[in-house]
Each structure stands twice: as structure tokens, then as C-alpha cells.
Amino acid sequence: MSTLLRQAVDRTAEELTRRSTHPHALLVVQHGRIIAERRWAPWDTDEPMLVYSVSKTFTSAAVGLAVADGAFGYQDTLAELWPEAAEGAGPRARSIRVRDALAMAGGHSAEQATALAEELAWTRHPDGLATARAFLAAEPEHRPGSFFAYNNLSTWMLAEVVRRTTGTDVWTLLTSRVLEPLGIGGPPWDRDAQGHPLGFSGLHLRPSELARFATLLLDDGVWQGERLLPSQWIREHRRIQVSTAGEGFPDWERGYGWQVWMSRHGYRLDGAFGQFALILPQARAVVVSTNETADCAQPVLDTIWAHLVPVLEAGAAAVPEVSEPDLRTLQVPVVAGRLDRSRIRTGTLQEGDRLTLTPTGDRWQLEWRRPSGEQHTIAVGHGRWLHSHLVTAEGEIELAASAGERDGVLEIRIAVTTTPHTLVLNWSADRLSQHWFIEPLTPGGLFSQFRLSAGR
């Protein structure tokens, strides 16, 4: 690895930290090899982590496999493929094609998409047919294929069409045909109330696994000489299918493909709060960046474009000599403050959870009793992060916690290291409260952030 590239990676990591994007991982692949990686503890456990809407690109790839197998075509309409759901659908809704849904161009306005999601609470709805009927009963305000509006329900419909026409859900299809050959296996994927993969979100991947999939896309769907993804889907998914002018930020206004965003450099898989896999054909490179940043993650991309991409592009022509990748672990700041070894605290959150915090030597032990009666123990470090693995009725949660007391207020930060998110508890003499540093898209408290076991 050249000195210039090492310096560029370090500058990128430093700038991401300075700009408060709260980075968790930065991984750089060029010419098919990992050349550099930065991980920020406590997100350095190599547990599969929620990548939010990066999941959409995987669903898109599953659609490509199903089309290549002859299950349906890109020109087929959702109404044709799911006729029971089309009862009550108007002419525009009946004309939404698979390719329109892939491009977020079903014709529904952003307001319609939001209203549908809020009205249906569809990920928890036990009747998928009712959800699909509601989607198609909402007559699009615009002609399908002509107008972009981000719509999670559209991606869910695609995942359901794959399942209905192939008899195999997107997780199973991708695992056997693509992920296992990549050495990824069957990653956890959150399910809806019917037990089917969400499609639009919920996939959990390690940074190295996401980099492998992105490298497959960079290499035209071919891995170690074997074609894993159909050439037609590869060609179509990464070209502009619909304009996104007016989306408000430079890298969100360059057009949308089939469940990917075009960028000032290449294109990207894009998940909420700064989960990115950047595919950079001119540099023959892939960059994975995971963060805990606010709704606009433009600063993450600006930083990578400014510091890292120019050096990668300069080295695109020459395949470097084989060497060990430059791997380093950095540190998310722990909570500052003192440890009171004499005091046991008890308190109740507004939601009814009962907490007891006991100092034990140079740490605390947090007993968390849920309203259901389920109880868990969380290790909390002083001046360091301590990890805990919880098994709940819903799934698993990987945590790291750190705490300190200042001015009579104890602050406990609990990083859910299988998500991008951090829960903050503030405990004063008369009040115990909680808030998320960045509110997760899955509603609820700490225990709503569970991850299904691999293979579920």
C-alpha cells in the first residue's frame, strides 16, 4: 500500500470523525483486494450489522435472478403478477411494471408513499394480500415510469412478487445463488409479520461481506470466473432509470437506477444514517463506510470524494503488489465522569422498564427488567466499553456500554453494535430518562433493536 493511499485513508477517517458523522467502519477495496480498513470500537466486533436500505439492492438482485430464470419479466405489471391484489386498482396502478417499481418510479407521490406506510403499519400486518391491495388501490398521482418518489412499500412488493412467482423468498434465492459463493452464507434479514424478508430493509452484514457484494457488482456480476448475477440486470441496475432532480443534496440529485443511487463518482448502495457501499469503476475500487449520522449523510460522501477518491483513481491502472492490508482500530469516545463505588441506583423508565445499577469494582452491572418480566444483565464500563450479548424472546442484541457521572447526573451510553445506533440513559437523583443519539427507524426502545439469528 502506497504512502499516499495510507495518508488518504487516514485523512478520510480523521475528517469523518471531525465532521461528527460518528463513523463505525471504513473499508477500501481496489483491484479485488482489501487494502485498508478502519474500525471504530466498540463497532469492531465483526458482528453482522443492520445496513437499512442497502438491503434494497439485494432485493433488486433477487429480482434479476428471477427474471433470468423466466419467472416473470421487467415489463410485466405488478397487477398481472399478483391479480388478487389488483382488485379495486385504477388504470395507473394497474400499469406499474416491475421495472418501474425497481426504479422507485411507480408514480405514487412522496406524500402518497408516506401516507400508505403510516396508515398500514404494514410490516406488522398479518395479511400481506391486504397490504398489496392497499398499495395498488392508491391510484398514483403520476404516470408510472415518469416520476421518482422513494417508496419502501414498492420494494416490499417486489420481494413478494419474487416469492409468489418462484416459490422462494429473496433471502433463500440470494443465499444459495450469490451469497454462499461469495463466502457470506445466510446473513440475518428482518422479517415482516408473515415471516418473510422485508426486502426494503433489515439485512445485516459485516463490512467485509458488503464489500464482497459490491466488488461483485463492480466486476459485472462475475466472481472468480463464475457469473453469479445476470448480465441484463447488471447493465440496467447501474444506469439512470429516472431523474431525482430536486432531492436536495448533490449526491441525491444524480438519478436513480434499480434500487441504487447514482453518485458524483460511480454509484452506491445507500442505507439510512450513512450506511454506504460505493462502487467506483474509474478507480477499480469499492469503499464501504458505515456511520451513525443524521438524516443527511452528504458529509460522509463529501469527505470520501475529497480525500480518498482522487488517490484511488490515480492508482487505478496499476495492480499493487500483494501485501497485508492496512488495518487499524480507532475508538468511539467513552463517557467521561467518575465512578461512585458506594451507590446502588434503582429507577423506572416511562415505558415501565425497571433498572438497577450496581457498582462492582471498576465497572457497573445494569439489571434491566422489562414489563413482560424478562430480565437481562448489561456490563457497563468506566473509561472503557464493555460488551454484552443478550438473547431475548424476539432475537439477539449485541451491546457495548460505557458510563460516567458528572454534576450529579450519571450518563450511560449503550451502543447497539448490530445496528448503527446508541441509546443514552441520563440518571439524576430524581429522574431516569432515555433517548437515542439518532432515532432508529424501527420504533420502540432498546429491545426493539434485536437481530434475528443467522438463518432465521
Side-chain angles (χ1 to χ4, degrees), residues 322-344:
V322 175
S323 61
E324 290 298 313
D326 178 23
L327 310 179
R328 299 186 201 174
T329 299
L330 308 172
Q331 180 76 35
V332 173
V334 297
V335 182
R338 67 187 185 91
L339 165 61
D340 184 348
R341 292 182 173 86
S342 64
R343 183 179 178 187
I344 298 175

Side-chain angles (χ1 to χ4, degrees), residues 41-57:
W43 274 270
D44 60 338
T45 62
D46 210 34
E47 288 287 335
M49 195 184 90
L50 175 64
V51 292
Y52 279 118
S53 285
V54 165
S55 312
K56 289 180 170 69
T57 312

Side-chain angles (χ1 to χ4, degrees), residues 296-319:
C296 174
Q298 185 67 61
V300 176
L301 298 178
D302 290 343
T303 300
I304 293 171
W305 303 157
H307 297 294
L308 187 54
V309 167
V311 180
L312 287 172
E313 289 183 345
V319 178

Side-chain angles (χ1 to χ4, degrees), residues 67-68 74 99 227 229-237 258:
V67 170
Y74 295 120
R99 68 178 308 120
R227 174 160 295 283
L229 291 171
S231 56
Q232 182 185 9
W233 179 83
I234 285 288
R235 287 194 309 271
E236 293 294 316
H237 92 280
W258 279 352

Side-chain angles (χ1 to χ4, degrees), residues 367-390:
E367 298 291 340
W368 193 308
R369 187 176 184 85
R370 303 174 67 182
S372 64
E374 188 175 292
Q375 186 164 322
H376 299 280
T377 301
I378 300 172
V380 182
H382 179 246
R384 58 181 172 147
W385 295 95
L386 292 180
H387 290 265
S388 300
H389 172 77
L390 308 185

